[in-house]
Amino acid sequence: MDNPLLGQEQLPQFTQIRPEHVEPAVRAMLSANRARIDELARLPEPTFAQVVEPLEELHHRTARTWSPVSHLNAVVNSEGLRASYNACLPLLSAYHTDLAQSEPLYSAYRTIAEREGAGLAPVQRRLLDHAVRDFRLAGVGLPAERKQRFKTAMLELAQLQARFEENVLDATNNWSWHVDDLAELRGLNEMLIEQAERRARERNRSGWVLSLDQPTYVAVVTDAESETLRRAFYEAWSTRASDQGPSAGRWDNTQVMEEILKRRHAAAQLLDFPNYAQYALATRMAHTTDEVLAFLRELAAAARGAAQAEFAELETFAGRKLQAWDVGFYAERLQRERFSVSQEQLRPYFPLPRVLNGLFQVAERLFGVRIQENGAAPVWHPDVRFFDIIAADGAALGSFYLDAYARPNKRSGAWMDECVGRKRLASSAALPVAYLVCNFLPPGGARPALLTHDDVVTLFHEFGHGLHHLLTRVDYPSIAGINGVAWDAVELPSQFLENYAWNPQVLQQISGHFASGAPLPAEAQSRLIATRSFHAGLSTVRQLEFALFDFRIHAEYSEARGGRVPEVLREVRAEVAVIPVPPWNRFPHSFGHIFAGGYAAGYYSYKWAEVLAADAFAAFEENGVFDRGTAQRFVDAILSRGGSRDALEAFVEFRGRRPDVRALLKQHGIDGAAGQAA
Ligand SMILES: [Zn+2]
């Protein structure tokens, strides 16, 4: 049988990929790769052209085969796919670990660096430096027994992390809320109520059934007048995969988290790092744990006073003490009263087609590119769209998929991922292709999908990641696009682009009432813009709570005491949090970013990169937000460079100085004296 995952077509053949293709394809690919790597590792006179280039090609092919699988597992999850996916995880992990731990390749890279280094282009030297560094971090040079322990820890980690995510997905999918009395849904938008009615019908039940997907959860805690409903959703959401709440103990991640932390710590110690956080920093823009903690605490000190004042004001507004499940609801009302604008009221003004159009115009104006839809690509779901991005001179730069809507068996949240990486090697070339995935409420009947402004910001954010991947000019896959970029700088392009979703000119371009075509009224627009700094203190301390929790559990793990997950969380909350949290809240149990994803000891990077993004955007504000020259310098210094240069150097080249935290505080409206509500 022809295996669609092994084809070398420009794009994955999504309509043909079946779960039974996955394991044979991965096994075939890995064994061919291993044979080739053996050959390369035995070359007596290794050179950049004969060793590094072919390895870059293998890197590209591996990603090219696996990317569609892990993508489908996330967006059209099924039992069959999940089983195939899981069966491959240990194979891939073992392969990557073997590759990363190859003594002969390590010595080949060092030989090449020594012999050819001086004659190589800077980007090639950088590639070698990265590779040598990563070999060290992967345990090359360790005695055999330690090396084996490291390998085992990594393999187990991959399985534990997948398990963590499955538990969250199962706990989420398994819970729903049934009501027979429409009055209990008062405050919720019509689309959600329609959807709930349809869901009840599908299950042969009367009334309405609400599920625990992210948009529903957010809508309920923000809009539902019924405190019972809000509390039920808050409880179900914040106890997912834990020992508390409606499915207590059924998909409990308590032990999984402990095992993950234990393996990470052990792996770091095998490499002579004191803890996992310090190990993680070896590849970051920040270098020491103290530097990160000091950065987070500096922001906390600047934001906490504002957060306390905001919360006190909110309780005064509500006329009572507030619980965690009340905060979103009253904040929305206060915001509406103060700015008379709500996320839901603005929805009709942000039909997705119009928003997309406006977003593309921003990219076109800033970067001189053109974006056009291409109906020819095979897709995994009829709602998915595909676009080409074209340079001013007509040259193709790359393409991207957009999978915009929430649906069952699709992972919640929004993200950009690499489908195909850019390469221009002696053997062959490829243009970059990205996945942009969101979870917006789908269209209904003749009505297009309508976004909240939060959704709009999310879309701009992911598109910013997309541009980083698509506008790269680096030829080597391992350091092209978002590859090889320091983790704490990876959110710079995404958060930078968010600024445009708040720009008055852009807001006019991306909005228009879906039925009447009326523009977003000027007054609503200026009120919307004013909301940007609304509760900036509260949202900053919330992010800092996640970031400090993540960083501390990885920095402070000890074999004797274990992870101390609940204790550290309590301490962090005492230090920075402002909103009271019920004792049964088990937020860490579904904190996939750090337990299942790549943000372990890296959640701080959101704030870190926000500082970079705010400061970079300030350069545009100084020169004009659509200034082509500034945009070109941004592309040249940062957006196109991938991991081919140091993140701090790149920033300094663009800005003419090091990043300054004050740009972010100013953007948040909390740059004045602490204690002042924005
Ligand atoms: Zn992001």
Side-chain angles (χ1 to χ4, degrees):
M1 113 188 136
D2 272 348
N3 194 317
L5 286 167
L6 292 174
Q8 287 302 314
E9 295 92 348
Q10 229 180 329
L11 295 169
Q13 302 300 299
F14 281 112
T15 49
Q16 292 166 32
I17 300 170
R18 303 279 172 270
E20 57 271 25
H21 294 133
V22 172
E23 203 179 327
V26 168
R27 285 189 184 275
M29 170 191 74
L30 293 182
S31 83
N33 283 8
R34 283 180 186 278
R36 182 79 176 114
I37 290 165
D38 274 353
E39 275 171 37
L40 298 172
R42 276 202 301 266
L43 287 178
E45 298 280 329
T47 63
F48 193 93
Q50 284 175 330
V51 174
V52 179
E53 284 238 357
L55 277 169
E56 288 289 309
E57 178 66 39
L58 290 187
H59 180 96
H60 178 89
R61 275 194 211 167
T62 310
R64 175 70 182 72
T65 300
W66 183 244
S67 163
V69 176
S70 81
H71 176 68
L72 291 174
N73 187 55
V75 296
V76 282
N77 193 276
S78 67
E79 247 173 68
L81 195 56
R82 186 191 281 193
S84 312
Y85 174 83
N86 282 345
C88 292
L89 284 179
L91 304 176
L92 281 157
S93 177
Y95 167 78
H96 286 302
T97 310
D98 282 348
L99 184 58
Q101 296 201 332
S102 162
E103 301 279 353
L105 287 181
Y106 176 48
S107 103
Y109 272 78
R110 278 192 309 172
T111 307
I112 296 164
E114 276 162 32
R115 287 193 197 155
E116 288 180 66
L120 292 174
V123 56
Q124 293 172 319
R125 275 206 302 278
R126 175 83 178 166
L127 192 164
L128 290 174
D129 288 348
H130 260 224
V132 169
R133 175 197 76 190
D134 291 345
F135 275 121
R136 289 202 187 104
L137 291 176
V140 179
L142 288 179
E145 185 265 347
R146 282 183 107 179
K147 200 167 168 176
Q148 188 51 46
R149 274 161 61 202
F150 184 82
K151 205 165 149 177
T152 307
M154 287 301 172
L155 208 132
E156 290 170 350
L157 257 180
Q159 290 164 325
L160 285 161
Q161 293 180 181
R163 172 89 179 284
F164 182 94
E165 191 159 359
E166 280 172 27
N167 281 340
V168 176
L169 193 59
D170 287 342
T172 308
N173 282 339
N174 216 268
W175 190 86
S176 60
W177 185 258
H178 178 244
V179 300
D180 267 321
D181 180 2
L182 186 58
E184 281 187 57
L185 302 184
R186 195 173 293 142
L188 295 181
N189 68 66
E190 276 170 40
M191 283 175 287
L192 209 73
I193 293 175
E194 264 170 41
Q195 200 185 58
E197 198 174 5
R198 202 164 51 235
R199 196 156 285 146
R201 266 203 311 277
E202 281 162 14
R203 298 185 186 183
N204 294 317
R205 299 196 66 171
S206 58
W208 297 264
V209 171
L210 297 169
S211 58
L212 195 58
D213 57 274
Q214 199 173 21
T216 306
Y217 167 72
V218 173
V220 167
V221 293
T222 315
D223 296 326
E225 287 176 24
S226 155
E227 187 175 343
T228 314
L229 188 64
R230 290 201 308 271
R231 190 191 187 283
F233 265 78
Y234 175 85
E235 188 187 4
W237 182 262
S238 66
T239 58
R240 285 176 302 158
S242 79
D243 61 330
Q244 296 289 317
S247 13
R250 214 173 141 196
W251 294 281
D252 190 354
N253 269 333
T254 307
Q255 205 47 39
V256 183
M257 292 190 291
E258 198 58 38
E259 295 297 322
I260 287 172
L261 292 173
K262 183 176 164 186
R263 299 300 186 293
R264 285 180 184 157
H265 185 74
Q269 291 226 313
L270 285 166
L271 298 177
D272 293 323
F273 287 96
N275 53 62
Y276 185 83
Q278 192 59 60
Y279 163 75
L281 291 183
T283 57
R284 304 263 173 84
M285 189 168 164
H287 292 300
T288 67
T289 52
D290 285 347
E291 192 183 346
V292 173
L293 290 170
F295 166 78
L296 293 174
R297 287 178 169 140
E298 182 191 346
L299 276 180
R304 196 159 190 239
Q308 278 163 337
E310 287 161 10
F311 188 59
E313 181 199 48
L314 190 63
E315 288 199 320
T316 307
F317 170 76
R320 64 178 177 95
K321 286 269 160 226
L322 295 179
Q323 303 293 336
W325 51 87
D326 297 322
V327 173
F329 179 78
Y330 285 102
E332 174 76 8
R333 257 132 212 87
L334 174 60
Q335 192 171 14
R336 215 180 280 179
E337 186 187 276
R338 177 170 299 168
F339 307 111
S340 50
V341 63
S342 82
Q343 289 286 336
E344 287 306 323
Q345 279 168 1
L346 292 184
R347 239 186 229 279
Y349 289 96
F350 293 115
L352 180 63
R354 188 155 177 114
V355 175
L356 266 188
N357 224 346
L359 169 61
F360 294 168
Q361 279 174 34
V362 168
E364 294 176 8
R365 236 176 122 180
L366 279 172
F367 306 118
V369 296
R370 205 151 38 79
I371 294 166
Q372 71 194 26
E373 186 149 20
N374 172 345
V379 292
W380 54 91
H381 188 277
D383 289 343
V384 177
R385 297 169 69 186
F386 185 78
F387 300 87
D388 292 324
I389 174 161
I390 299 149
D393 63 3
L397 292 172
S399 314
F400 59 93
Y401 300 89
L402 175 67
D403 184 349
Y405 311 128
R407 58 176 178 265
N409 300 313
K410 177 172 166 183
R411 202 168 76 195
S412 61
W415 66 91
M416 188 289 294
D417 204 359
E418 171 183 307
C419 172
V420 181
R422 184 180 192 273
K423 64 167 176 180
R424 209 174 61 186
L425 302 169
S427 49
S428 61
L431 290 175
V433 182
Y435 307 113
L436 298 185
V437 184
C438 299
N439 269 283
F440 301 145
L441 282 177
R447 172 178 52 70
L450 300 175
L451 310 192
T452 63
H453 186 260
D454 283 348
D455 292 338
V456 172
V457 173
T458 298
L459 183 65
F460 274 63
H461 177 101
E462 299 310 333
F463 195 74
H465 282 307
L467 289 174
H468 201 186
H469 178 56
L470 297 167
L471 296 184
T472 195
R473 290 200 289 263
V474 179
D475 297 337
Y476 300 100
S478 67
I479 50 171
I482 57 169
N483 293 323
V485 176
W487 260 106
D488 39 3
V490 112
E491 295 292 330
L492 165 55
S494 52
Q495 294 183 348
F496 165 79
L497 207 69
E498 282 183 25
N499 288 295
Y500 287 87
W502 294 98
N503 179 270
Q505 231 179 311
V506 176
L507 278 166
Q508 283 301 309
Q509 272 170 24
I510 61 175
S511 62
H513 195 280
F514 78 95
S516 68
L520 181 63
E523 218 194 312
Q525 176 171 304
S526 56
R527 283 193 305 257
L528 171 69
I529 294 169
T531 62
R532 191 180 188 190
S533 51
F534 177 72
H535 282 185
L538 283 171
S539 86
T540 301
V541 294
R542 186 159 172 267
Q543 287 297 103
L544 290 171
E545 178 184 328
F546 298 164
L548 270 171
F549 167 73
D550 161 48
F551 206 74
R552 285 190 51 193
I553 53 164
H554 288 103
E556 294 171 20
Y557 184 92
S558 88
E559 269 154 35
R561 297 186 309 177
R564 295 176 67 245
V565 168
E567 291 87 346
V568 172
L569 185 63
R570 252 199 312 276
E571 289 165 19
V572 166
R573 279 182 176 153
E575 186 182 347
V576 297
V578 166
I579 294 168
V581 174
W584 41 260
N585 176 300
R586 291 290 182 272
F587 153 73
H589 291 69
S590 58
F591 197 0
H593 271 76
I594 67 160
F595 288 110
Y599 279 83
Y603 201 85
Y604 77 88
S605 67
Y606 277 109
K607 277 289 157 205
W608 186 274
E610 258 183 65
V611 166
L612 302 180
D615 203 11
F617 188 66
F620 282 80
E621 290 177 316
E622 289 155 20
N623 302 325
V625 292
F626 284 105
D627 184 64
R628 279 286 287 132
T630 310
Q632 195 55 51
R633 285 194 297 111
F634 190 62
V635 173
D636 292 343
I638 294 170
L639 224 40
S640 68
R641 303 298 288 270
S644 73
R645 63 182 313 192
D646 179 78
L648 183 62
E649 279 172 30
F651 188 89
V652 171
E653 179 189 315
F654 170 67
R655 199 68 175 102
R657 56 162 173 74
R658 294 172 64 90
D660 185 340
V661 66
R662 279 172 302 183
L664 180 66
L665 294 174
K666 185 166 166 237
Q667 191 183 82
H668 283 342
I670 49 179
D671 54 335
Q676 224 175 18

